[in-house]
Amino acid sequence: MSLRYALLALLTSQPLTGYDVFKQFEQSVGYVWHAPDSQIYPELRRMEKDGLLRGVEEAWGKKGKKKRYHITPEGVEAFRAWINTTLDYTRERDPIHLKAAYLEWAEPDAARAQMQAHIAYHSSRAQQWQEMIAALEDRSNPILATRLEAAPEADRAKIAGYKIFTYEGMIERANAEIQWARRGLELIDKLES
């Protein structure tokens, strides 16, 4: 998935300024696709140049201007084409599993610290995703609320349901990583005693 489709996904709910895109990206799409603002703003400009977005200049303050991006019919079509196409899976780069394969080179305390850090990281992420699910379920997530308000009543359960399903999958993946790291701690204790 490219940043382009993550941005199109976000902009299907409403027109946004570049700043609003960045802020809402971090609070929604950013949970599944990370991108810093240094990538988001240039991609918005490229998407506008490619006809996927239309930028409308608006007054901002006394003398300033800002651009609000609207998804175009071509942008909607590009998003639909992407969402309806099976992904080409790329080979992974997985530094923690690479390290784990060579833990015999590590000091036992360093190996344990790595596994404990992995557990802490994935526990924190799982907690964040659980909080997102709660906000989706009770409709307190402002981005979802905006999307639901604009959607037909018949589509609202699907909109929330698929997002909840996504975060549940991420929690399951995090829990698998936590269990793997716990087994790693047990293995370190067994092999290094």
Side-chain angles (χ1 to χ4, degrees):
M1 176 174 151
S2 74
L3 174 59
R4 177 167 289 209
Y5 297 111
L7 293 171
L8 286 172
L10 185 60
L11 287 162
T12 59
S13 66
Q14 66 179 328
L16 298 166
T17 65
Y19 177 77
D20 292 335
V21 167
F22 174 68
K23 285 301 196 191
Q24 288 195 17
F25 191 94
E26 287 297 307
Q27 298 168 3
S28 62
V29 179
Y31 282 102
V32 294
W33 191 262
H34 171 73
D37 61 346
S38 62
Q39 292 177 351
I40 291 173
Y41 290 105
E43 185 62 23
L44 287 170
R45 290 189 293 275
R46 281 190 291 274
M47 292 167 68
E48 182 180 19
K49 182 181 171 197
D50 293 344
L52 303 175
L53 302 177
R54 181 176 47 88
V56 177
E57 292 280 333
E58 298 178 351
W60 186 58
K62 292 186 179 186
K63 297 183 181 181
K65 289 187 178 183
K66 61 183 175 178
K67 190 178 282 192
R68 186 170 304 275
Y69 292 97
H70 300 252
I71 192 167
T72 64
E74 294 81 9
V76 170
E77 186 56 37
F79 183 69
R80 282 188 193 279
W82 173 79
I83 203 77
N84 286 304
T85 303
T86 302
L87 287 176
D88 290 328
Y89 289 88
T90 57
R91 295 182 75 178
E92 293 182 32
R93 294 179 177 171
D94 192 336
I96 184 63
H97 289 90
L98 175 63
K99 273 186 148 186
Y102 295 95
L103 282 178
E104 73 268 18
W105 289 82
E107 295 296 325
D109 287 344
R112 285 184 192 91
Q114 184 66 66
M115 291 296 110
Q116 290 164 344
H118 196 67
I119 291 167
Y121 172 79
H122 284 286
S123 295
S124 172
R125 297 293 285 169
Q127 179 61 40
Q128 288 176 325
W129 295 324
Q130 190 59 55
E131 290 168 5
M132 179 60 85
I133 288 173
L136 292 169
E137 288 176 338
D138 69 12
R139 306 296 196 260
S140 64
N141 178 285
I143 298 166
L144 177 66
T146 300
R147 186 176 291 275
L148 292 176
E149 187 176 297
E153 182 70 36
D155 292 343
R156 292 178 183 176
K158 287 192 300 188
I159 292 168
Y162 285 129
K163 285 158 190 54
I164 291 167
F165 169 73
T166 298
Y167 290 112
E168 288 170 341
M170 294 167 68
I171 290 169
E172 288 171 10
R173 188 180 333 164
N175 287 336
E177 288 295 321
I178 291 165
Q179 293 305 314
W180 172 80
R182 287 182 178 150
R183 287 195 321 272
L185 287 170
E186 292 171 5
L187 182 62
I188 293 164
D189 289 343
K190 176 182 172 186
L191 296 176
E192 299 296 338
S193 57

